[in-house]
Amino acid sequence: MASIRRVTHKNGRVVYRIVICLGYNENGGKLVKNLTCTVNQSATPKQQEKEALKYALNMEDKLKYGYETDSCHEYFEAFAERWLESVKDSLARGTYIGYENLLRTGILPYFKGYKLACVRTPDIEAFYRTLAGRYAPGTIKRYANVMNCIFKTARRWNLIEDNPCQYARKPRKRPANDRLRYFTPDQSLMFLKSLNLTYTEAGDGPGRSVRTYTVSTQFKVFYMLSLFCGSRKGETLALQWSDIDFMTQEISITKSIGRTENGFDYKEPKSSASMRRIPFPDCVTDILKRYRLEYDALKASMGSDWAGKNNLFIRTDGRLMGQTTAYQHFIRHLERYNQWIRTYPERARAEGLEELPAIPLHGLRHSCATLLNYLEVNIIDISKYLGHASCSTTMNIYAHSFEAQRKAAQEKINAFLRRNED
């Protein structure tokens, strides 16, 4: 049984000195652990003594069953770093980088200053709530997975008694502003027109000279393939000229670009269903042929300085385009277009153009699904276009964006029934 002694400091602060016997050494000397328990200073002496006794019994049990008392003083941040290092060799490179990013950007900033043993289930749930307003449920689930792995390891290493993530509830409702962002069919047509406009903007120099800007053929191809084929960014970026079949007007998705052991490099697509052939319309054929002429001319002009390997989307020396280049260009293009609409409202109205919503580059894939549904392509073919493993996956993702078509179907039924009445 641990011994407990009440100590009152000169400033009136009360603590309890606790001595726990851990047994005896080979010479018969007693092995002890000295602890200090700080109690609630506003409580009565009896309540303070009860609190100290509970603490002493709890610590004695921990020591008896192999828990290290020092672990109670380890900060969550330090342990999370130890955990990440311990799993590094057992994870794929991309998974490790993903875990590290979640730790650095969200988990560690929130739990900085927390003791590992003091994190409770309400703390975990409070953290999840801060994510709900910024991330989709899938992202929150990834954060939860990392948190659970950290505390499962701490429990396995006998540093804590219970895993606080085990019963923590994640936010169930999807935030109201967290719906898929995409272009409607009419907006998709406006976006295509925007790729052929000429934009002007002031330069950055002292004289602020006016510069003109047009979308290059390469980026037109990238965006049109994303919009009409529904390919993922990594799949589009990984395309090579050998993946383009001009005879059948199809592209072959056989690889992707993503994190690998060699950094960002070619890898297999997301799933076996992602391996597919996707048809493209005549307008894409025309722009692809024009781009091929420009591509070959650039390659010839570079001579021995050409570093390309048949990549469809390239840097100025032929190397594979950077991972974020198309995304950054897309966001900047939408900003230029919307500014053009505001600057020339009469011309925009005459051409049937309006401002476009600020969607992410991945939103072109969602726009493709919405467009195919609008054109009454059946759900099985839409699922194949997108490379989904099943139709249910497609429906689960796009149920909201397909709402307008369900209403259109209702109107068709009403029209059909009215014909019978006539």
Side-chain angles (χ1 to χ4, degrees):
M1 177 68 183
S3 65
I4 303 175
R5 180 169 61 90
R6 180 184 177 92
V7 177
T8 304
H9 293 283
K10 292 181 180 180
N11 61 3
R13 180 169 170 268
V14 175
V15 298
Y16 280 81
R17 304 295 187 196
I18 300 171
V19 179
I20 300 176
C21 178
L22 302 178
Y24 298 87
N25 60 26
E26 57 185 10
N27 298 320
K30 184 181 289 188
L31 299 174
V32 299
K33 186 72 174 182
N34 295 294
L35 303 172
T36 300
C37 175
T38 300
V39 293
N40 184 354
Q41 301 300 303
S42 61
T44 65
K46 189 173 182 179
Q47 290 172 332
Q48 290 175 341
E49 182 178 355
K50 185 177 180 180
E51 181 182 348
L53 179 60
K54 181 179 179 180
Y55 175 81
L57 293 173
N58 185 43
M59 295 308 300
E60 190 171 29
D61 285 342
K62 286 184 177 182
L63 291 170
K64 183 184 300 182
Y65 291 104
Y67 290 89
E68 298 179 13
T69 306
D70 290 341
S71 68
C72 295
H73 303 292
E74 182 170 15
Y75 283 94
F76 173 85
E77 184 176 8
F79 179 78
E81 296 282 3
R82 283 207 292 146
W83 166 80
L84 186 64
E85 185 62 28
S86 73
V87 299
K88 184 175 183 179
D89 294 336
S90 61
L91 298 176
R93 178 63 179 172
T95 303
Y96 173 79
I97 293 175
Y99 282 5
E100 184 179 38
N101 183 59
L102 294 175
L103 276 174
R104 301 278 182 262
T105 59
I107 297 174
L108 294 185
Y110 184 89
F111 288 98
K112 188 177 182 63
Y114 276 73
K115 297 288 183 63
L116 174 66
C118 294
V119 178
R120 299 289 183 262
T121 298
D123 301 320
I124 304 294
E125 292 179 342
F127 171 61
Y128 292 161
R129 286 194 294 273
T130 66
L131 302 175
R134 294 179 291 160
Y135 300 113
T139 303
I140 297 175
K141 186 176 180 179
R142 287 193 289 272
Y143 272 104
N145 180 55
V146 173
M147 291 291 292
N148 187 50
C149 288
I150 291 173
F151 283 102
K152 279 180 69 175
T153 301
R155 176 68 184 86
R156 183 164 55 84
W157 290 358
N158 285 335
L159 300 179
I160 57 175
E161 284 187 343
D162 297 302
N163 178 358
C165 296
Q166 186 175 359
Y167 300 107
R169 295 181 178 177
K170 295 181 286 293
R172 292 186 177 180
K173 292 185 178 180
R174 193 182 186 100
N177 62 347
D178 190 39
R179 294 184 176 181
L180 294 180
R181 289 185 288 168
Y182 57 90
F183 293 146
T184 64
D186 287 340
Q187 289 171 338
S188 292
L189 290 176
M190 293 181 198
F191 174 69
L192 290 177
K193 291 181 180 179
S194 78
L195 298 178
N196 296 315
L197 294 175
T198 299
Y199 304 92
T200 58
E201 56 184 13
D204 299 327
R208 295 182 63 80
S209 58
V210 176
R211 298 182 301 182
T212 60
Y213 161 78
T214 57
V215 180
S216 69
T217 307
Q218 175 175 210
F219 283 113
K220 288 179 182 178
V221 171
F222 194 106
Y223 301 145
M224 291 174 75
L225 285 178
S226 301
L227 178 60
F228 291 120
C229 298
S231 51
R232 301 175 179 91
K233 182 183 71 172
E235 295 171 343
T236 308
L237 190 59
L239 287 173
Q240 297 179 318
W241 283 108
S242 57
D243 297 319
I244 309 297
D245 190 330
F246 285 98
M247 294 295 294
T248 61
Q249 293 191 182
E250 292 178 318
I251 62 171
S252 296
I253 302 297
T254 59
K255 52 193 171 300
S256 183
I257 293 290
R259 292 189 181 98
T260 69
E261 294 180 355
N262 302 318
F264 282 101
D265 202 351
Y266 291 103
K267 66 174 188 176
E268 292 185 356
K270 189 173 183 180
S271 67
S272 58
S274 298
M275 306 276 285
R276 61 200 190 278
R277 290 175 65 88
I278 311 173
F280 52 80
D282 294 341
C283 64
V284 176
T285 303
D286 295 338
I287 195 72
L288 272 169
K289 289 180 177 179
R290 187 198 317 168
Y291 178 46
R292 186 62 199 250
L293 293 175
E294 295 180 9
Y295 185 98
D296 290 342
L298 175 63
K299 182 178 179 180
S301 68
M302 293 290 293
S304 60
D305 292 330
W306 181 259
K309 297 180 179 179
N310 203 37
N311 309 311
L312 198 65
F313 301 106
I314 56 174
R315 309 183 197 206
T316 55
D317 62 355
R319 288 181 299 138
L320 181 66
M321 180 186 286
Q323 176 76 0
T324 61
T325 301
Y327 170 81
Q328 293 169 348
H329 183 279
F330 177 73
I331 298 302
R332 186 72 187 96
H333 170 72
L334 289 182
E335 292 173 351
R336 286 192 179 105
Y337 168 77
N338 286 333
Q339 182 59 48
W340 185 90
I341 295 292
R342 292 188 289 269
T343 304
Y344 305 103
E346 293 183 3
R347 181 179 170 186
R349 280 195 295 271
E351 297 186 24
L353 298 177
E354 300 174 356
E355 287 193 39
L356 292 173
I359 69 172
L361 180 59
H362 194 72
L364 292 180
R365 174 173 162 84
H366 301 323
S367 303
C368 175
T370 304
L371 177 61
L372 292 173
N373 184 62
Y374 172 80
L375 297 174
E376 299 183 348
V377 176
N378 68 71
I379 191 64
I380 296 176
D381 288 333
I382 294 177
S383 183
K384 290 179 179 179
Y385 254 84
L386 301 177
H388 287 157
S390 65
C391 297
S392 60
T393 301
T394 308
M395 287 305 302
N396 288 339
I397 296 174
Y398 297 105
H400 175 73
S401 61
F402 289 174
E403 183 65 32
Q405 290 308 105
R406 285 198 292 272
K407 293 180 179 179
Q410 182 182 24
E411 289 301 319
K412 290 180 180 180
I413 293 174
N414 290 334
F416 174 77
L417 293 175
R418 284 193 291 270
R419 283 171 49 193
N420 185 52
E421 294 174 356
D422 295 339

